[in-house]
Amino acid sequence: MLWKICVLGIIYSWILIHILSKMRRSRLTEVMLEKQQLDLQHRNDNHFYWYQIRMDEIDETERSKFVQLNQDEQTQNFLDTCYNKSDAFLLQFWHALAVPVLKMFMTQTNVNGYLDRGSMFVFSSAQFRSLMSIEDDWVGDSLLDLGAGDGKVTDVMASHFQRIYVTEIATQMQKQLIRKKYNLLGLTEWTHHKFEVISCLNLLDRCDKPLTLLQNIRQSVKENGRVIVASVYPYSPYVEENSSSNYKPSESLDITASSIEEQINLMVKNVFTPSGFELLTFSRVPYLCEGDLTTSFYILYDIVFVLQPSKQNKS
């Protein structure tokens, strides 16, 4: 496989060089200048609007559970890493060549894992503690992080648990998790165990059966445990493995909304409550991803919920 990648890489190199030679130098300069200007704006911005919601549009019974977060030092450090990686021209040039070649053999997620690119950021350690209402020195028994990716979001939570378990479908990401010495469980193996905390971050819109997943989480979280769910707004399901069904899931969630506040209300009413959960806290955070040569970072908006098993439904 490697020799094929090398040959195709050479071909793509020549193609890219040819394309670049045809580009007007002024346009290339313009793109890079725009990025520098945008980066400067972001560096001087605390991005308070990334964390805001309109409280008057949240169901009255849930308003007191909102946790106001802000851009802290760990979030800024991730952004600084994004700026530095984006400015690394040779690294970005290599990625530009390698990604289209590797995608002939593997999924986008596996490509990112193979190249160690596209890391995500959901919340910082301090923000995690605020959402969980725990002290700096709190240590729990076990964490299960479902769909852990490269493990960098898991790292944020890991110091608060004695045992860390993870699941991940992408083989290249699995290798990274194993290198971090996390306990990698099979895609159904975890349902036979109990965990103090289960995190399901940006997975409901990427799995084939999100309702079944929530039911399994409900059965696998301990009686006094917690579940952390992050959901992207707007909700737009895409299952990477379901190419035969146009990447659509076989189970759908009734949370189509015209605003992030409406999606919060619908998640609680139509998804969490019927699945046997109570809402403890929630917040809005930026869902950040490392960028490329022309964009330092990409951003979506996440709603993070901390849940507990409903008292009337505890098994």
Side-chain angles (χ1 to χ4, degrees):
M1 175 178 172
L2 288 177
W3 71 268
K4 292 182 180 178
I5 294 175
C6 292
V7 171
L8 289 171
I10 293 172
I11 295 173
Y12 270 92
S13 297
W14 282 108
I15 293 174
L16 184 60
I17 291 171
H18 178 71
I19 292 173
L20 289 174
S21 68
K22 296 296 184 181
M23 289 177 62
R24 290 186 303 170
R25 184 175 300 177
S26 59
R27 175 55 188 161
L28 183 60
T29 302
E30 180 183 344
V31 170
M32 300 309 297
L33 181 61
E34 288 175 355
K35 183 178 85 77
Q36 291 177 359
Q37 292 174 339
L38 186 59
D39 284 354
L40 181 61
Q41 292 176 17
H42 280 301
R43 288 178 186 272
N44 295 319
D45 194 342
N46 65 10
H47 302 111
F48 67 92
Y49 44 88
W50 285 355
Y51 302 87
Q52 287 186 326
I53 65 167
R54 294 182 290 270
M55 194 61 65
D56 59 332
E57 296 184 20
I58 299 297
D59 287 345
E60 189 171 355
T61 55
E62 312 299 349
R63 292 176 188 173
S64 63
K65 301 172 183 177
F66 178 70
V67 177
Q68 181 65 64
L69 299 176
N70 53 65
Q71 180 175 298
D72 60 10
E73 183 178 0
Q74 196 171 353
T75 310
Q76 184 60 57
N77 289 342
F78 179 83
L79 290 173
D80 289 340
T81 298
C82 291
Y83 300 137
N84 293 335
K85 277 195 171 183
S86 180
D87 288 341
F89 180 81
L90 292 179
L91 175 66
Q92 297 302 332
F93 183 77
W94 158 240
H95 287 170
L97 296 177
V99 168
V101 176
L102 290 171
K103 284 180 70 175
M104 297 178 182
F105 308 99
M106 57 183 76
T107 65
Q108 180 66 60
T109 303
N110 275 305
V111 170
N112 289 342
Y114 185 81
L115 296 175
D116 191 23
R117 67 187 292 272
S119 290
M120 306 290 192
F121 185 93
V122 180
F123 44 63
S124 68
S125 299
Q127 292 168 346
F128 170 71
R129 290 191 291 270
S130 295
L131 286 163
M132 287 283 290
S133 303
I134 58 175
E135 300 296 329
D136 292 5
D137 59 354
W138 182 88
V139 178
D141 174 57
S142 56
L143 167 70
L144 169 65
D145 189 16
L146 296 170
D150 61 8
K152 291 184 180 177
V153 178
T154 317
D155 295 343
V156 171
M157 304 179 282
S159 63
H160 289 287
F161 298 92
Q162 297 177 17
R163 294 175 294 155
I164 313 296
Y165 299 89
V166 293
T167 70
E168 175 56 49
I169 194 171
T171 55
Q172 294 298 326
M173 295 297 189
Q174 289 176 0
K175 294 177 181 178
Q176 297 205 30
L177 294 169
I178 292 171
R179 283 197 291 268
K180 291 174 178 284
K181 300 188 184 306
Y182 291 145
N183 298 295
L184 181 65
L185 299 180
L187 295 182
T188 59
E189 181 184 1
W190 65 273
T191 61
H192 304 299
H193 303 275
K194 292 281 188 178
F195 305 91
E196 185 170 1
V197 175
I198 299 178
S199 58
C200 177
L201 306 178
N202 302 299
L203 188 57
L204 292 181
D205 61 340
R206 292 296 179 263
C207 71
D208 184 49
K209 297 182 177 180
L211 293 174
T212 299
L213 175 61
L214 285 170
Q215 292 168 9
N216 289 333
I217 291 173
R218 176 65 182 77
Q219 295 300 316
S220 297
V221 66
K222 291 183 177 180
E223 182 176 342
N224 296 315
R226 298 289 183 267
V227 175
I228 310 167
V229 176
S231 177
V232 171
Y233 172 80
Y235 177 69
S236 180
Y238 178 90
V239 184
E240 196 171 42
E241 293 74 29
N242 283 8
S243 57
S244 60
S245 60
N246 199 28
Y247 304 102
K248 299 297 183 183
S250 58
E251 292 179 355
S252 60
L253 301 180
D254 184 16
I255 56 172
T256 302
S258 58
S259 69
I260 194 168
E261 293 80 11
E262 184 182 7
Q263 184 166 312
I264 292 170
N265 294 334
L266 291 175
M267 288 287 292
V268 175
K269 178 182 177 181
N270 295 347
V271 179
F272 298 142
T273 299
S275 297
F277 295 105
E278 293 179 12
L279 177 65
L280 293 178
T281 62
F282 71 98
S283 191
R284 173 182 174 174
V285 297
Y287 181 25
L288 301 168
C289 176
E290 291 176 349
D292 48 37
L293 184 63
T294 61
T295 305
S296 291
F297 64 88
Y298 293 96
I299 180 171
L300 296 172
Y301 295 104
D302 256 349
I303 316 156
V304 181
F305 304 88
V306 177
L307 314 169
Q308 68 178 3
S310 301
K311 294 181 174 61
Q312 63 269 30
N313 293 321
K314 283 181 180 178
S315 52

